[in-house]
């Protein structure tokens, strides 16, 4: 039956609701005024309302996941909900690391992978893992799909880091070079700190104003940070592709997932 995929839609909606809940709270925590080119929830309605709205999204996400019980046995619904809960915990752990890394100058590249593993990769791995589970895949296939999503998430975040320094604002819907102004510990920045050259000494002197962004971005690029990050993004994409080939999705959906990955 071609309509089988519709049975999993409430799970997809659940993950998207979790994603948006995390963004509403993330924007408060990061003091971000723009999201997807629009004013953030807290800017429009204040932090107390935004916290409450995020809480509501979180609850609705679980209600949506439980809607699966119309089409799936209770045990599978429990499994999917359990995966979602673990992912939510990982999200908060990643966010904790992100916030606790601010104002620290002793971070390593290893610290970065821990942070984005929780903040970004976990959510994408939930999508592919829960999708495979609800497609009645065997456990080893479900695991291959999970790892596919995880490495794709790492690749995506590294790519986002590159765009956060050298990207185009009109494409991203976020203010460009804001990552340097905001002092984000992104992969290019941590690479630059490890080099301990001109960029590192400037970074340790304190906040970078908008007027200095271009100059600092050039320093980073000259010290090899952009090339390094782009190479890492490709490496993680290739790992994701290997797990996708292991999972071996077929038919129209299989073609679509390969296209999306690329």
């Amino acid at each position: 039956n071609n309509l089988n995929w519709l049975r999993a839609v409430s799970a997809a909606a659940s993950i998207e609701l979790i994603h948006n809940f995390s963004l509403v709270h993330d924007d408060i925590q990061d003091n971000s005024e723009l999201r997807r080119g629009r004013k953030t929830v807290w800017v429009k309605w204040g932090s107390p309302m935004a916290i409450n709205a995020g809480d509501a999204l979180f609850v609705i996400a679980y209600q949506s996941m439980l809607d699966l019980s119309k089409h799936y046995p209770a045990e599978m619904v429990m499994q999917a909900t359990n995966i979602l809960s673990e992912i939510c915990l990982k999200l908060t752990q990643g966010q904790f690391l992100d916030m606790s890394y601010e104002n620290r100058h002793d971070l390593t590249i290893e610290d970065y992978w821990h942070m984005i593993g929780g903040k970004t990769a976990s959510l994408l791995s939930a999508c592919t893992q829960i999708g495979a589970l609800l497609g009645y895949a065997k456990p080893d296939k479900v695991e291959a799909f999970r790892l596919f999503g995880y490495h794709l998430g790492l690749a995506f975040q590294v790519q986002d880091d590159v765009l956060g320094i050298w990207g185009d604002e009109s494409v991203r819907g976020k203010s460009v070079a804001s990552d340097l102004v905001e002092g984000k510990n992104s992969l290019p920045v941590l690479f630059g700190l490890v080099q301990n050259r001109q960029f590192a000494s400037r970074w340790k002197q304190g906040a970078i104003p908008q007027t200095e962004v271009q100059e600092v971005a050039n320093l980073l690029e000259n010290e090899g940070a952009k090339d390094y990050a782009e190479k890492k993004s490709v490496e993680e994409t290739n790992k994701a592709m290997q797990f996708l080939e292991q999972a071996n999705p077929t038919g129209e959906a299989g073609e679509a997932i390969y296209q999306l990955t690329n």
Side-chain angles (χ1 to χ4, degrees), residues 4-258:
N4 273 354
W5 62 271
L6 281 170
R7 295 179 178 179
V9 165
S10 67
S14 173
I15 293 171
E16 184 56 17
L17 286 159
I18 289 290
H19 181 213
N20 282 284
F21 133 74
S22 73
L23 298 180
V24 171
H25 283 189
D26 185 53
D27 287 336
I28 301 167
Q29 290 163 348
D30 288 350
N31 219 24
S32 301
E33 296 187 11
L34 277 186
R35 168 74 63 185
R36 298 170 186 158
R38 295 157 69 184
K39 283 182 181 171
T40 49
V41 179
W42 74 268
V43 168
K44 275 192 99 153
W45 288 289
S47 292
M49 283 297 191
I51 292 168
N52 201 47
D55 292 345
L57 287 167
F58 184 75
V59 174
I60 298 166
Y62 275 88
Q63 290 176 324
S64 187
M65 194 57 95
L66 293 174
D67 282 344
L68 287 172
S69 57
K70 294 168 193 161
H71 305 292
Y72 289 94
E75 196 183 330
M76 274 182 87
V77 180
M78 280 282 289
Q79 256 182 297
T81 309
N82 198 21
I83 293 166
L84 189 72
S85 297
E86 279 177 32
I87 291 312
C88 286
L89 198 54
K90 287 201 173 106
L91 274 179
T92 59
Q93 287 165 343
Q95 184 69 345
F96 161 76
L97 290 176
D98 193 10
M99 294 188 291
S100 66
Y101 286 174
E102 285 167 22
N103 309 317
R104 274 183 57 186
H105 297 305
D106 59 341
L107 295 171
T108 64
I109 286 171
E110 192 54 42
D111 294 320
Y112 169 84
W113 295 112
H114 285 306
M115 173 181 76
I116 72 159
K119 271 200 73 172
T120 308
S122 62
L123 202 58
L124 263 165
S125 73
C127 298
T128 53
Q129 186 181 6
I130 292 171
L133 176 77
L134 298 178
Y136 290 92
K138 295 210 158 53
D140 59 327
K141 280 271 170 88
V142 174
E143 179 61 5
F145 269 113
R146 181 186 76 80
L147 287 162
F148 156 64
Y150 184 78
H151 287 284
L152 191 62
L154 296 179
F156 172 84
Q157 186 56 58
V158 173
Q159 190 58 34
D160 199 54
D161 283 359
V162 172
L163 291 172
I165 297 173
W166 296 283
D168 176 356
E169 182 169 352
S170 62
V171 177
R172 298 174 75 232
K174 302 185 203 173
S175 42
V176 76
S178 65
D179 282 10
L180 289 176
V181 175
E182 285 171 16
K184 273 201 183 148
N185 288 296
S186 63
L187 186 61
V189 165
L190 289 179
F191 177 86
L193 292 177
V194 172
Q195 303 315 299
N196 206 14
R197 285 159 58 192
Q198 269 180 288
F199 167 78
S201 65
R202 172 58 193 90
W203 186 259
K204 286 169 188 169
Q205 282 164 25
I208 292 160
Q210 198 68 47
T211 49
E212 217 184 313
V213 157
Q214 199 53 58
E215 189 189 329
V216 174
N218 290 344
L219 272 182
L220 253 188
E221 191 169 352
N222 294 339
E223 290 177 16
K226 189 180 182 185
D227 285 345
Y228 173 80
E230 283 174 343
K231 190 175 115 250
K232 283 290 170 198
S233 183
V234 170
E235 274 175 28
E236 289 301 329
T237 306
N238 290 340
K239 275 188 207 166
M241 281 311 233
Q242 283 168 354
F243 285 115
L244 186 60
E245 277 156 24
Q246 223 173 296
N248 191 26
T250 53
E252 203 183 333
E255 273 173 50
I257 206 163
Y258 274 106

